[in-house]
Amino acid sequence: MPNSPSPTGRTDAVALTDRTDDRPVYVIGGGPGGLATAAALRDRGVRAVVLEKADRIGASWRGHYDRLHLHTTRRWSALPGLRMPRKFGRWVGRDDLVRYLEKYTEHHELEVVTGVEVTRIDPHPDGSGDWQLTATGGRVLRGRAVVVATGFNHTPRIPEWPGRDTFTGELLHAAEYRNPAPYADKDVLVVGIGNTGAEIAADLTEGGAARVRIAVRTAPHIVRRSTAGWPAQATGILVRRLPVRMVDKAGSLLARVAVPDLSAQGLPRPEKGLYSRVREGAIPVQDVGLIDAVKNGRVVPVATVASFDTDAVVLADGTRLTPDAVIAATGYSRALEPLLGHLDVLDGRGRPVVHGARTPKQAPGLYFTGFTNPISGMLRELALDAEKIAKRVARAH
């Protein structure tokens, strides 16, 4: 039996090179997608080794802000083979999710190696169809297949705003934000009104910030996380296969009933339909306090950021602000180019051209999971992808 992981999912990295002669499936990334796929593979009798560059599994989740709760229900956020405890509540918090991932690793006896970063993936030079992984510590590993699960939110991205480096206030990415305590009685500008930016803005107002503004480039669709007990995720699951135009119309009608018009407060209803925006990659914002905060003037929407000028932030409409801090909720890059950009398996935005059980034609045996942001819930889709990938790998080998 291979070395068993500790409750944190850690296995001795030194032993890794001594246990690769049976050509396991390598899963790169110890987050929910990687762990789910490894468990599904193990369930089908396929040896899977999870390689995680951090010292513990679920590293990105551990680093999220304190307030974070899933916007998907406990039932539809569980991974294959282990339910989430009822005591976690309907909307699972960050710390409980991390505990679940640790328990999941232990429950499935997953073979996880921490502290090992894969830096390059190549077809094995012997032409066998296997894959060769170059990793830290001079390791060169051989696997029958590779599953890349390094995550949708991998590398924080802050735009190259003119004058950014001259800003004398505090500028940080949302990935560095933990709680509102450091911003009590301060003037804060949040840039970006996706789910993260919206929730941080609400968190800041509730935590005592003196003034909170949120810079908006494109007005988002805002939905209630739950309406009369019906979760927004359930609607997302139901509408995925419906015509875009039909969902856009239904979404517009529902918004007018459930969400107040905030145009007077600077946040108009979007012109483009909800599902049309989803197809472009813009997931609706699930309200966890933003609507009331904007309605009551505690969060003030402003134009998007154009540039910085020493202590000032210049907005696209020419307005100059002098906030104490700017929190950039401006997204992440997948950062896959160094790993496999040479394999011609990424699109123009740096995302895999396939996902789930499909593999690129020129790269059979190379799988991707967790690089889409579906309206039906990322964790739910990761769980489904894990089963599909495992079934495909087991059948192929």
Side-chain angles (χ1 to χ4, degrees):
M1 179 177 176
N3 291 358
S4 297
S6 71
T8 59
R10 185 168 185 170
T11 296
D12 185 6
V14 175
L16 178 63
T17 53
D18 298 328
R19 297 185 280 118
T20 57
D21 55 351
D22 58 340
R23 300 163 50 248
V25 174
Y26 282 109
V27 180
I28 306 174
L35 298 177
T37 304
L41 286 164
R42 181 180 173 87
D43 189 54
R44 287 169 173 77
V46 178
R47 182 183 173 211
V49 177
V50 179
L51 304 177
E52 167 57 50
K53 70 176 182 178
D55 62 351
R56 294 179 293 177
I57 61 168
S60 63
W61 287 95
R62 295 175 191 273
H64 283 308
Y65 48 93
D66 298 345
R67 174 192 173 111
L68 178 70
H69 282 71
L70 297 180
H71 292 163
T72 54
T73 65
R74 181 186 71 252
R75 173 189 174 190
W76 284 324
S77 299
L79 304 179
L82 184 66
R83 293 182 179 180
M84 287 189 175
R86 184 179 295 271
K87 66 181 180 181
F88 285 0
R90 193 180 199 192
W91 313 105
V92 179
R94 178 200 64 186
D95 292 345
D96 281 336
L97 179 62
V98 170
R99 293 187 189 100
Y100 172 74
L101 295 179
E102 292 175 349
K103 180 63 178 178
Y104 190 83
T105 301
E106 181 182 357
H107 176 80
H108 288 288
E109 299 182 329
L110 300 183
E111 192 174 341
V112 179
V113 184
T114 57
V116 174
E117 181 178 7
V118 178
T119 56
R120 185 178 172 96
I121 301 173
D122 291 288
H124 199 277
D126 68 2
S128 62
D130 285 354
W131 289 91
Q132 179 171 286
L133 283 64
T134 304
T136 52
R139 298 178 180 87
V140 178
L141 310 173
R142 178 172 184 160
R144 69 174 77 175
V146 177
V147 182
V148 181
T150 50
F152 188 84
N153 296 333
H154 186 274
T155 302
R157 182 182 66 242
I158 297 180
E160 292 290 342
W161 289 302
R164 188 184 80 176
D165 295 338
T166 71
F167 184 54
T168 56
E170 180 184 4
L171 172 62
L172 68 154
H173 191 273
E176 301 174 74
Y177 176 84
R178 294 295 174 267
N179 58 64
Y183 305 98
D185 300 321
K186 291 187 176 182
D187 183 339
V188 186
L189 174 66
V190 179
V191 185
I193 195 169
N195 276 293
T196 297
E199 187 159 3
I200 288 177
D203 197 32
L204 287 164
T205 64
E206 295 170 14
R211 171 181 283 178
V212 180
R213 286 172 283 207
I214 188 164
V216 181
R217 182 175 60 182
T218 304
H221 285 274
I222 304 175
V223 299
R224 301 287 187 181
R225 186 168 65 175
S226 179
T227 304
W230 179 264
Q233 183 187 10
T235 302
I237 293 171
L238 291 175
V239 305
R240 285 198 72 187
R241 301 187 184 281
L242 295 179
V244 172
R245 184 176 299 178
M246 179 186 297
V247 180
D248 281 350
K249 186 174 182 179
S252 177
L253 293 173
L254 181 61
R256 293 181 184 282
V257 172
V259 179
D261 186 358
L262 300 173
S263 299
Q265 289 78 26
L267 199 59
R269 297 188 188 277
E271 296 181 2
K272 186 171 288 190
L274 183 150
Y275 205 29
S276 293
R277 293 290 307 280
V278 169
R279 296 291 291 270
E280 295 173 354
I283 298 298
V285 171
Q286 293 202 23
D287 177 53
V288 289
L290 180 71
I291 291 175
D292 286 344
V294 171
K295 187 176 180 180
N296 297 326
R298 292 182 288 114
V299 172
V300 177
V302 296
T304 191
V305 171
S307 63
F308 286 76
D309 183 10
T310 60
D311 66 337
V313 180
V314 183
L315 305 182
D317 62 2
T319 302
R320 294 174 67 90
L321 309 176
T322 54
D324 298 307
V326 175
I327 300 175
T330 47
Y332 297 77
S333 65
R334 272 27 82 191
L336 291 171
E337 288 83 359
L339 186 67
L340 38 71
H342 56 288
L343 297 177
D344 192 27
V345 295
L346 304 177
D347 64 16
R349 296 186 296 172
R351 301 184 183 187
V353 294
V354 298
H355 70 276
R358 294 182 297 157
T359 63
K361 291 182 179 179
Q362 70 275 28
L366 181 62
Y367 300 87
F368 298 90
T369 184
F371 294 99
T372 60
N373 194 14
I375 192 174
S376 52
M378 183 176 288
L379 289 174
R380 176 182 181 271
E381 297 304 319
L382 288 175
L384 295 174
D385 276 353
E387 297 285 6
K388 294 174 183 177
I389 291 171
K391 183 177 180 181
R392 174 76 178 271
V393 171
R395 185 169 65 241
H397 298 280

